[in-house]
C-alpha cells in the first residue's frame, strides 16, 4: 500500500469539472490509442418545453450518447496533483498509524468541488433545422447560398457535427426518416415525393420479379429507370438508395462482398397507413374495419403484406373503441404538461403502448418511461378484456 503526504492550498477553480466514468465510457477511452483523443465528444442538446431557454450537454462516442446531469453533494472532494515540497517531510511514527515506511509521495489539494456530473445513456437527437426539403425538382440546390439568412448543411458529416448524437445513431435515424443527397446537398424528401418513389420502386421490383429479401442498388435502379427519360428523371441512384435504406435493411454477404437490401414489409405498411390516415381519417374519425379496407387499397397491386391497426401507434387516437382518427405529432405542444393535457382531451384513457410514441421524445433526461409518465399522469394495471390472466397498463389524467 502506498503511503502519501497530503498538502492543501485550496482556491476556487471552476474550470475543473468531474465526470463519473461508467464502464461503457471507460471502454471507449481504453479503446483509443491516442492520449490526445479519448474517442468522446461534447455536444449540446437543445431543450424543449418549460426549460427551452436552456441547453443540456451530451457526451458522444461513435455509437452512443450520454446526457450529463449535475449531481450536488455535501462531501468534501479535493482536486489533487503531485507535489514536491522544498524540504523533505519526515512524519513522526505515531502519525503513521502503524505503517513503518515514510510516505513515498506528496500530493497537493489545489481546489475543491461540491458537485460532479453523472452520465445517463439516452437516444441521440438528430438536428434537422438546417436540412432543406426536396419535392423532386431537377434544379434543387442551385439557389442555395444566395440568401445570407438561409444556411443549409451540405454533407452527412456536417449533420453529425451539428446533432446531439453519435455518428452511428445519426446515420441510423437519417436512413429511418428517409434522408437523401440531391445535387450534392443532404435533404429530406417530401412525403408526396417519397410515396411516388416508393410506389415506382415496388412496382418495378414486382414487375421484374426481384427477390425482395435480396435487392441490389444497381439492379433496382436499372429496373426503375428503364422507361424514364433520363433528362427528366427525378428517381436518381441516390433516391433509390434512400428508398432502400428507409424501407429496408442493408447487409453484405462475405462470399461476394456485395451490398444487398431486404425490404421491411411492416415499415412499408406503416408508411402506406400514414398516407391512408392523412386521406381518410384527418378530418373525422373512421371505423377501424372501414379504414383497414382503405389502407389496403393504398398498396401497389399484388404487394404481399399483412396489416394490423396497432402498426399505426404514434399516429392515431381512439375516440371510441371501434374507431380511430389521425393525429400528427408536429401539431402537439412541446411542453410536457401541455402535451399530456391535449392527449387526455382527445382520449380519457390510453394504453401505455398507445401513448408512449407521443411522449417519449419529451423524455430528454433518459428516465424510465413509466417514471416519466407518472410525473404528469396516473397509471394503473388492469386485466386484459377477454383474458383476465393477462394485464395491461392504462394511463389517465391526474
Amino acid at each position: 500500500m502506498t503511503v502519501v503526504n497530503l498538502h492543501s492550498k485550496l482556491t476556487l477553480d471552476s474550470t475543473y469539472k468531474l465526470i463519473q466514468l461508467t464502464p461503457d465510457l471507460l471502454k471507449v477511452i481504453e479503446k483509443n490509442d491516442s492520449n490526445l483523443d479519448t474517442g468522446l465528444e461534447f455536444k449540446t442538446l437543445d431543450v424543449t418545453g418549460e426549460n427551452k431557454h436552456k441547453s443540456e450537454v451530451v457526451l458522444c462516442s461513435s455509437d452512443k450518447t450520454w446526457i450529463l446531469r449535475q449531481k450536488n453533494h455535501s462531501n468534501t472532494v479535493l482536486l489533487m496533483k503531485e507535489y514536491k515540497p522544498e524540504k523533505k517531510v519526515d512524519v513522526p511514527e505515531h502519525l503513521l498509524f502503524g505503517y513503518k515506511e515514510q510516505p513515498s509521495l506528496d500530493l497537493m489539494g489545489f481546489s475543491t468541488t461540491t458537485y460532479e456530473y453523472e452520465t445517463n445513456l439516452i437516444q441521440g437527437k438528430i438536428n434537422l433545422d438546417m436540412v432543406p426539403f426536396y419535392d423532386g425538382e431537377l434544379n434543387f440546390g442551385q439557389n442555395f447560398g444566395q440568401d445570407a439568412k438561409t444556411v443549409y448543411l451540405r454533407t452527412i458529416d456536417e449533420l453529425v457535427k451539428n446533432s446531439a448524437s453519435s455518428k452511428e445513431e445519426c446515420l441510423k435515424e437519417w436512413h429511418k426518416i428517409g434522408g437523401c443527397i440531391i445535387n450534392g446537398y443532404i435533404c429530406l424528401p417530401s412525403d408526396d415525393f417519397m410515396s411516388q418513389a416508393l410506389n415506382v420502386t415496388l412496382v418495378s421490383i414486382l414487375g421484374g420479379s426481384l427477390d425482395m429479401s435480396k435487392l441490389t442498388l444497381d439492379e433496382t435502379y436499372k429496373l426503375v429507370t428503364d422507361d424514364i427519360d433520363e433528362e427528366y428523371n427525378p428517381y436518381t441512384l441516390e433516391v433509390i438508395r434512400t428508398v432502400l435504406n428507409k424501407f429496408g435493411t442493408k447487409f453484405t454477404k462475405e462470399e461476394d462482398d456485395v451490398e444487398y437490401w431486404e425490404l421491411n414489409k411492416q415499415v412499408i405498411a406503416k408508411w402506406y397507413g400514414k398516407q391512408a390516415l392523412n386521406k381518410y381519417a384527418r378530418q373525422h374519425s373512421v371505423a377501424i374495419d372501414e379504414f383497414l379496407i382503405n389502407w389496403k387499397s393504398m398498396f401497389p397491386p399484388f404487394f404481399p403484406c399483412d396489416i394490423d391497426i396497432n402498426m399505426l401507434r404514434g399516429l392515431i387516437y381512439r375516440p371510441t373503441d371501434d374507431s380511430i382518427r389521425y393525429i400528427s405529432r408536429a401539431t402537439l405542444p412541446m411542453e410536457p404538461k401541455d402535451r399530456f393535457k391535449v392527449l387526455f382531451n382527445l382520449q380519457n384513457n390510453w394504453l401505455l403502448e398507445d401513448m408512449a410514441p407521443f411522449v417519449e421524445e419529451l423524455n430528454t433526461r433518459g428516465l424510465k418511461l413509466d417514471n416519466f409518465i407518472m410525473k404528469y399522469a396516473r397509471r394503473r394495471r388492469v386485466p386484459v378484456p377477454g383474458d383476465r390472466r393477462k394485464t395491461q397498463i392504462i394511463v389517465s389524467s391526474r
Side-chain angles (χ1 to χ4, degrees):
M1 182 174 182
T2 302
V3 182
V4 299
N5 278 326
L6 299 181
H7 310 262
S8 65
K9 188 177 181 181
L10 302 178
T11 59
L12 182 61
D13 190 343
S14 59
T15 59
Y16 288 90
K17 310 293 183 184
L18 299 185
I19 299 177
Q20 297 176 359
L21 295 180
T22 63
D24 282 346
L25 285 169
L26 282 172
K27 286 180 182 178
V28 174
I29 296 172
E30 290 168 354
K31 270 185 185 177
N32 203 285
D33 296 329
S34 171
N35 292 327
L36 301 177
D37 185 0
T38 62
L40 297 168
E41 182 181 6
F42 289 100
K43 296 182 179 181
T44 57
L45 170 66
D46 291 334
V47 178
T48 57
E50 59 187 5
N51 295 316
K52 62 184 178 181
H53 61 285
K54 299 180 181 179
S55 287
E56 305 257 9
V57 177
V58 296
L59 193 59
C60 299
S61 66
S62 62
D63 62 348
K64 293 180 181 178
T65 304
W66 294 266
I67 191 168
L68 270 62
R69 184 181 301 163
Q70 184 171 312
K71 184 178 180 181
N72 298 323
H73 55 71
S74 57
N75 300 329
T76 299
V77 178
L78 298 178
L79 307 183
M80 311 194 77
K81 60 185 177 182
E82 192 171 347
Y83 171 69
K84 291 184 179 180
E86 295 180 0
K87 296 182 180 180
K88 183 179 179 181
V89 178
D90 290 321
V91 180
E93 186 175 343
H94 70 277
L95 294 179
L96 291 174
F97 301 101
Y99 291 99
K100 301 300 181 183
E101 298 180 2
Q102 286 288 317
S104 58
L105 181 66
D106 289 86
L107 296 177
M108 168 69 77
F110 61 91
S111 187
T112 185
T113 181
T114 59
Y115 63 88
E116 301 167 4
Y117 289 101
E118 63 178 4
T119 55
N120 291 299
L121 191 66
I122 63 168
Q123 182 68 39
K125 304 292 183 181
I126 189 171
N127 180 9
L128 301 175
D129 291 345
M130 294 183 286
V131 177
F133 284 96
Y134 172 67
D135 199 28
E137 55 267 39
L138 297 177
N139 62 345
F140 178 80
Q142 290 184 4
N143 298 323
F144 290 174
Q146 295 182 8
D147 184 359
K149 295 181 180 179
T150 304
V151 179
Y152 292 123
L153 301 177
R154 185 157 193 146
T155 66
I156 294 293
D157 286 341
E158 290 179 353
L159 178 66
V160 173
K161 184 178 180 181
N162 286 274
S163 297
S165 171
S166 67
K167 184 172 184 177
E168 185 174 309
E169 290 173 300
C170 190
L171 289 175
K172 185 177 180 180
E173 183 65 17
W174 179 247
H175 292 156
K176 180 180 177 181
I177 63 177
C180 189
I181 299 177
I182 302 294
N183 296 336
Y185 282 92
I186 59 174
C187 60
L188 283 178
S190 67
D191 283 358
D192 286 344
F193 180 75
M194 182 62 76
S195 292
Q196 295 169 21
L198 173 61
N199 199 66
V200 167
T201 302
L202 291 180
V203 169
S204 300
I205 290 170
L206 292 170
S209 299
L210 296 185
D211 183 354
M212 286 188 285
S213 66
K214 192 181 177 184
L215 298 169
T216 65
L217 176 60
D218 290 340
E219 189 176 26
T220 307
Y221 174 68
K222 184 177 184 303
L223 273 176
V224 170
T225 57
D226 263 352
D227 298 324
I228 301 178
D229 188 337
E230 186 175 346
E231 186 177 353
Y232 301 101
N233 175 27
Y235 308 116
T236 64
L237 187 70
E238 285 300 326
V239 169
I240 304 306
R241 188 197 305 274
T242 296
V243 171
L244 294 178
N245 279 330
K246 178 174 176 61
F247 298 103
T249 302
K250 184 169 68 173
F251 63 94
T252 304
K253 286 198 171 183
E254 295 182 359
E255 56 266 28
D256 52 17
D257 197 30
V258 176
E259 290 182 339
Y260 296 96
W261 280 263
E262 179 179 2
L263 290 184
N264 187 324
K265 294 179 182 178
Q266 187 170 6
V267 174
I268 293 172
K270 186 171 181 178
W271 177 265
Y272 281 117
K274 183 179 179 182
Q275 310 313 308
L277 286 170
N278 195 39
K279 184 176 181 179
Y280 298 107
R282 176 178 285 275
Q283 301 298 330
H284 53 78
S285 60
V286 60
I288 293 177
D289 290 343
E290 178 186 344
F291 175 78
L292 289 174
I293 296 173
N294 292 329
W295 181 5
K296 195 68 176 180
S297 70
M298 304 291 290
F299 289 86
F302 310 112
F303 181 76
C305 184
D306 296 325
I307 57 175
D308 183 274
I309 201 65
N310 288 331
M311 290 180 177
L312 301 181
R313 280 174 170 154
L315 298 171
I316 59 173
Y317 69 97
R318 302 172 188 256
T320 63
D321 290 341
D322 58 357
S323 68
I324 59 167
R325 187 169 177 181
Y326 176 58
I327 177 174
S328 171
R329 271 182 288 181
T331 64
L332 296 174
M334 293 304 295
E335 163 60 49
K337 291 180 181 178
D338 293 339
R339 179 168 297 195
F340 276 90
K341 182 178 180 180
V342 169
L343 292 175
F344 288 126
N345 284 338
L346 296 173
Q347 185 176 320
N348 291 331
N349 297 303
W350 290 76
L351 277 176
L352 178 62
E353 295 86 351
D354 289 343
M355 174 174 275
F358 289 110
V359 299
E360 57 191 1
E361 65 179 319
L362 305 179
N363 184 19
T364 56
R365 289 188 172 272
L367 301 175
K368 288 184 178 180
L369 186 60
D370 280 7
N371 294 338
F372 175 72
I373 287 178
M374 287 178 65
K375 293 175 62 177
Y376 305 99
R378 293 189 301 175
R379 55 185 291 275
R380 66 185 189 277
R381 190 175 293 274
V382 299
V384 174
D387 189 352
R388 300 189 65 84
R389 293 172 299 177
K390 297 180 180 179
T391 60
Q392 59 188 3
I393 296 176
I394 300 294
V395 183
S396 57
S397 62
R398 289 187 179 278

